Amino acid sequence: MSASESPQDLLKLAVEVAEEAAQLIVERRRGTITVAETKSTITDVVTAVDRESEELIRARVLRARPDDSFLGEEGDDVVGTSGVRWVVDPIDGTVNYLYDLPTYAVSIAVEYGGETVAGVVVDAPKGEVFTATLGGGAFADGKPIQVSGATELSQALVGTGFGYDPARRQVQAEVIQHLITNVRDIRRIGVGAIDLCYVACGRLDVVYERGLNPWDYGAGALIAAEAGARVGGLNGAPVSPEMSIAATPALFEPFHALLAAANPLRV
């Protein structure tokens, strides 16, 4: 970033582009949506609209900032020279989108020097916009948000997701068996970025998932952290595809201990 730029400047562009992409995917959903291809397994799907949304975001961002890098879920990476990288999920929750389940999102994180400094997640069907800048707090539709403040694990509402590989799903099901009697309940929304934002605004107390990618958690992890959540992986590791956990501060350690005892990394 140049001396005249700030995380707020980057966020402003990110929000504008994310809202435009969200409008696009909602409009396209009024038509017929079909699978364009599969990726890791036959259940890991991509639609033509995923690609169209990412192409729109890439074009808008690089037109405004041609020296930046770009990492998207569906397209080729762009390596820039500015130190700024845009990390984009053009439709987080593609299976929900395919089935017309009304929770899916556009997620854009902006990194500088490898650190996420701005992020936006737009819940496209609802039009709800979650934002954060590093050190600047977290917001939903422009209003400050914070985590629930829950302190009792037995009363915690926990969100999670499942991988596409059947062997990993088997392990994840076994982990849930270990967790379910120790928490209030478990939710599977199907959108990792939304899960993290729901911790940020107190709709969930904890989320965890193995297999999220940087475009899934980049913006949401910043939003959760800026809303007061403790965010990390297992055993002191940072958030990564290996494991992502976000929780109210009082619940992170007891939930981490419970999750680690279930040995969630077996596959």
Coordinates of all heavy atoms in Angstrom, one line a residue, residues 17 20 30 35 39 50 53 70 111 120 127 144 148 159 183 200 208 229 232 236 245 262-263:
V17 N -17.2 -4.0 -4.7 CA -17.1 -5.1 -5.6 C -17.9 -6.3 -5.1 O -18.6 -7.0 -5.9 CB -15.6 -5.5 -5.8 CG1 -15.5 -6.8 -6.7 CG2 -14.9 -4.3 -6.5
E20 N -21.6 -5.9 -5.7 CA -21.9 -6.0 -7.1 C -22.0 -7.5 -7.5 O -22.9 -8.0 -8.2 CB -20.9 -5.3 -8.0 CG -21.3 -5.4 -9.5 CD -20.3 -4.6 -10.4 OE1 -19.4 -3.9 -9.8 OE2 -20.4 -4.6 -11.6
R30 N -32.2 -16.7 -10.3 CA -33.6 -16.7 -10.8 C -33.8 -17.6 -12.0 O -34.9 -17.9 -12.4 CB -34.0 -15.3 -11.1 CG -34.1 -14.4 -9.8 CD -34.7 -13.0 -10.1 NE -34.8 -12.2 -8.9 CZ -34.0 -11.2 -8.6 NH1 -33.0 -10.9 -9.5 NH2 -34.1 -10.5 -7.5
V35 N -24.4 -27.7 -12.7 CA -23.0 -27.9 -12.4 C -22.2 -27.8 -13.6 O -22.4 -28.5 -14.7 CB -22.8 -29.3 -11.7 CG1 -21.4 -29.6 -11.5 CG2 -23.6 -29.4 -10.4
K39 N -14.6 -30.8 -8.6 CA -13.2 -30.6 -8.3 C -12.7 -31.8 -7.5 O -12.4 -32.9 -8.1 CB -13.1 -29.3 -7.5 CG -13.4 -28.1 -8.4 CD -13.1 -26.8 -7.7 CE -14.0 -26.5 -6.5 NZ -13.7 -25.1 -5.9
D50 N -20.3 -19.3 -10.4 CA -19.0 -19.2 -9.6 C -18.0 -18.5 -10.5 O -17.3 -17.5 -10.0 CB -18.5 -20.5 -9.2 CG -19.3 -21.2 -8.1 OD1 -20.3 -21.9 -8.4 OD2 -19.0 -21.0 -6.9
S53 N -18.9 -14.8 -11.4 CA -18.7 -13.9 -10.2 C -17.3 -13.6 -10.0 O -16.9 -12.4 -9.8 CB -19.4 -14.5 -9.0 OG -19.1 -13.8 -7.8
F70 N -3.9 -11.4 -6.8 CA -5.3 -11.9 -6.7 C -5.2 -13.4 -6.6 O -4.6 -14.1 -7.4 CB -6.0 -11.5 -8.0 CG -7.5 -11.7 -7.9 CD1 -8.4 -10.7 -7.6 CD2 -8.0 -13.0 -8.2 CE1 -9.7 -10.9 -7.5 CE2 -9.4 -13.2 -8.2 CZ -10.3 -12.2 -7.8
E111 N -5.2 -8.7 1.9 CA -3.9 -8.9 2.7 C -2.9 -7.8 2.3 O -2.8 -7.4 1.1 CB -3.3 -10.3 2.4 CG -4.2 -11.4 2.8 CD -3.6 -12.8 2.4 OE1 -2.6 -12.8 1.6 OE2 -4.2 -13.8 2.8
V120 N -14.7 -8.4 3.8 CA -16.1 -8.2 3.7 C -16.7 -9.6 3.3 O -16.2 -10.3 2.5 CB -16.5 -7.2 2.6 CG1 -15.9 -7.5 1.2 CG2 -18.0 -7.0 2.5
G127 N -28.8 -9.9 1.7 CA -28.2 -8.5 1.5 C -27.5 -8.0 2.7 O -27.2 -6.8 2.8
P144 N -21.8 -1.7 14.7 CA -20.8 -2.5 15.4 C -21.4 -3.8 15.9 O -22.5 -3.8 16.4 CB -20.3 -1.6 16.6 CG -20.7 -0.2 16.2 CD -21.9 -0.3 15.3
S148 N -20.9 -13.2 21.4 CA -22.0 -13.4 22.4 C -21.6 -13.2 23.8 O -22.4 -12.9 24.7 CB -22.6 -14.8 22.2 OG -21.7 -15.8 22.6
G159 N -21.2 -24.2 15.4 CA -21.3 -24.4 14.0 C -20.1 -25.2 13.4 O -19.0 -25.1 13.9
V183 N -22.2 -29.8 24.4 CA -22.6 -28.5 24.0 C -24.1 -28.4 23.9 O -24.8 -29.4 24.0 CB -21.9 -28.1 22.6 CG1 -20.4 -28.1 22.8 CG2 -22.4 -29.0 21.5
A200 N -19.1 -13.7 15.0 CA -18.8 -12.3 15.2 C -20.0 -11.6 15.8 O -19.9 -10.6 16.6 CB -18.4 -11.7 13.9
Y208 N -16.0 -24.4 14.2 CA -14.8 -25.1 13.9 C -15.0 -25.9 12.6 O -16.1 -26.3 12.2 CB -14.4 -26.1 15.0 CG -15.2 -27.4 15.0 CD1 -14.7 -28.5 14.3 CD2 -16.5 -27.4 15.5 CE1 -15.5 -29.7 14.3 CE2 -17.3 -28.6 15.4 CZ -16.7 -29.7 14.8 OH -17.5 -30.9 14.7
A229 N -13.8 -12.4 19.0 CA -13.6 -13.8 19.1 C -12.1 -14.1 19.2 O -11.2 -13.4 18.7 CB -14.2 -14.5 17.9
G232 N -8.1 -19.3 15.9 CA -6.9 -20.1 15.7 C -7.1 -21.5 15.2 O -8.2 -21.9 14.9
G236 N -2.1 -24.2 19.2 CA -1.4 -23.0 19.0 C -1.1 -22.6 17.6 O -0.6 -21.5 17.3
I245 N -10.8 -22.5 14.1 CA -11.7 -22.4 15.3 C -11.9 -20.9 15.6 O -10.9 -20.2 15.6 CB -11.1 -23.1 16.5 CG1 -10.7 -24.5 16.2 CG2 -12.1 -23.0 17.7 CD1 -9.9 -25.2 17.3
A262 N -10.9 -35.5 20.6 CA -11.6 -36.3 19.6 C -10.7 -36.6 18.4 O -11.2 -37.3 17.5 CB -12.9 -35.5 19.1
N263 N -9.5 -36.1 18.4 CA -8.5 -36.4 17.4 C -9.1 -36.1 16.0 O -9.2 -37.1 15.1 CB -8.1 -37.9 17.5 CG -6.8 -38.2 16.7 OD1 -6.1 -37.3 16.2 ND2 -6.6 -39.5 16.5

